[in-house]
Amino acid sequence: MEIQQALYMIPVPISDGEIQNVLPPSNIVIVRQIRHFIVENIRTARRFLKKIDPSIEISELTFYELNGHTPENEINSFIDALRKGHPIGVMSEAGCPGVADPGAKVVSLAQREGFSVIPLVGPSSILLALMASGLNGQKFAFQGYLPVKDNDRDKAIRDLENQSRRQDMTQIFIETPYRNNKMMESLLKNLSADTLLCVAANITSAEGEKIVTKTVKRWRTEGFQLDKVPTIFLFYSLRAPSPVSIRI
Amino acid sequence: MEIQQALYMIPVPISDGEIQNVLPPSNIVIVRQIRHFIVENIRTARRFLKKIDPSIEISELTFYELNGHTPENEINSFIDALRKGHPIGVMSEAGCPGVADPGAKVVSLAQREGFSVIPLVGPSSILLALMASGLNGQKFAFQGYLPVKDNDRDKAIRDLENQSRRQDMTQIFIETPYRNNKMMESLLKNLSADTLLCVAANITSAEGEKIVTKTVKRWRTEGFQLDKVPTIFLFYSLRAPSPVSIRI
């Protein structure tokens, strides 16, 4: 595959498993031809590059770090190499760049100036969780993080459940791993007993992957332990049944 | 990778390109060990299997067709092989099964009975489009198909734009290819001039992939031609600016 003057969106693994389980071979052929990378975390980006090809000379590559700490006024210069005719790779800390990370900021710049943007296939915990959940995959929303404060989170969960029911839509969201058990408690407190709740933990990890969907009622009695495990939460509330005739 | 008693969610290509551009090698190792497949279309499933491994004996495999024509009362028996201890593969017509297809129905059965469901990595036009759009990837919704009737579609587009602005969310949807130009006309008629609209056509196709984001204002003047091309539409409306103090 010949490399172009383009912004390449390069997924990276989301677990410690084998590269060949989660990335198409041609991704590696492409990555080896790129010299400029916009990355969420330089250290993990270097480790990924060394893993896919130990012969890569890291010192010959240029990295630009794009994350919550990057000053807004620096970002524009990150695509200068592209403006000069070179391909640039964008890599997130884990999974697919441009999704649930700040990567879209440089894509937006490239799009505005008419450059090609080429997304490569790779693991997205959001999408993999949805595929295995059995919940509605014909309509779904990714909500990012819910509020941290108890009352706000409780309200957000109830609002999302109402929306799921009204719009026949699966709700997907994430939490920082050390707050997973707290999130699960809020979910079991606020959701209706017959809402389907999927907990997708350790996705693509050879040993630990566990994607389980049960009614809230069953989760309440059967227990859970999600402490510090990367987890995606999904739920889906069946539409309210159509009004039935009432016998008087 | 050792095969398990599980429902394997197996992505298939979304364009005519090379398999090695879109599927991890281990997917093929897994698929070759499976004898039972639940598929959206038997003919295309057979063609995919022959393509990844010409030595596969198709006549030794069992297929169950799951699509809009499948009687609901037959679906329960589709996972009988799983109940007897065998792995089953689920394949959609294109892309990732369980997303924008009826695949979730068998996943839901398997989840209810406590079987493992293992999602494999592969191309999703929805996710690839989002990655390359530069639109908000921290909050997004996939809406499936919008209504076909002109007035209903116009209203749906305006409602989704309001929701995008209120919830700071990217809206994603699809259309049957021969109606793409009609859809684009509706979008340009109903969306605000400064809303960002991404048109993602022929995703992963080596020659034809084109993922372009522009303001509605620019699309209106610069034209488009999407006739019969597989396309994903995405748009994102910036939040209304915060109220400013008014000088009296």
Side-chain angles (χ1 to χ4, degrees), chain B residues 198-245:
Chain B
C198 178
V199 173
N202 277 319
I203 299 174
T204 76
S205 155
E207 302 80 34
E209 182 178 273
K210 217 164 170 61
I211 307 176
V212 177
T213 302
K214 298 181 195 179
T215 58
V216 165
K217 191 198 293 186
R218 280 187 59 193
W219 280 113
R220 280 179 188 151
T221 59
E222 296 175 16
F224 58 88
Q225 179 48 260
L226 301 172
D227 202 25
K228 294 174 192 154
V229 173
T231 303
I232 306 270
F233 297 91
L234 309 88
F235 68 74
Y236 175 62
S237 292
L238 286 173
R239 270 176 204 279
S242 9
V244 291
S245 58

Side-chain angles (χ1 to χ4, degrees), chain A residues 67 130 148 153 209 239:
Chain A
N67 53 39
L130 180 64
V148 172
R153 188 177 51 228
E209 182 179 272
R239 270 176 203 279

Side-chain angles (χ1 to χ4, degrees), chain B residues 61-124:
Chain B
L61 307 177
T62 308
F63 294 93
Y64 310 86
E65 206 164 49
L66 175 61
N67 54 39
H69 307 292
T70 310
E72 289 290 327
N73 61 2
E74 282 184 11
I75 298 175
N76 184 54
S77 68
F78 285 7
I79 65 164
D80 280 351
L82 184 62
R83 294 178 181 122
K84 288 178 189 150
H86 306 291
I88 296 183
V90 180
M91 296 193 285
S92 165
E93 172 83 41
C96 293
V99 180
D101 78 341
K105 287 183 183 182
V106 285
V107 181
S108 163
L109 276 177
Q111 285 280 6
R112 202 185 310 156
E113 298 179 28
F115 293 110
S116 293
V117 184
I118 301 177
L120 304 185
V121 172
S124 157

Side-chain angles (χ1 to χ4, degrees), chain A residues 124-141 170 172 234, chain B residues 9-12 14 40 66 90-108 117 119-130 140-145 172-174 232:
Chain A
S124 157
S125 51
I126 298 166
L127 196 86
L128 292 165
L130 180 64
M131 287 164 69
S133 69
L135 305 183
N136 191 2
Q138 316 215 34
K139 272 186 96 177
F140 58 89
T170 298
I172 310 174
L234 309 89
Chain B
M9 304 303 284
I10 303 168
V12 299
I14 52 178
E40 197 175 1
L66 175 61
V90 180
M91 296 193 285
S92 165
E93 172 83 41
C96 293
V99 180
D101 78 341
K105 287 183 183 182
V106 285
V107 181
S108 163
V117 184
L120 304 185
V121 172
S124 157
S125 51
I126 298 167
L127 197 87
L128 292 164
L130 179 65
F140 58 89
F142 175 66
Q143 304 285 356
Y145 291 92
I172 310 173
F173 47 96
I174 46 181
I232 306 270

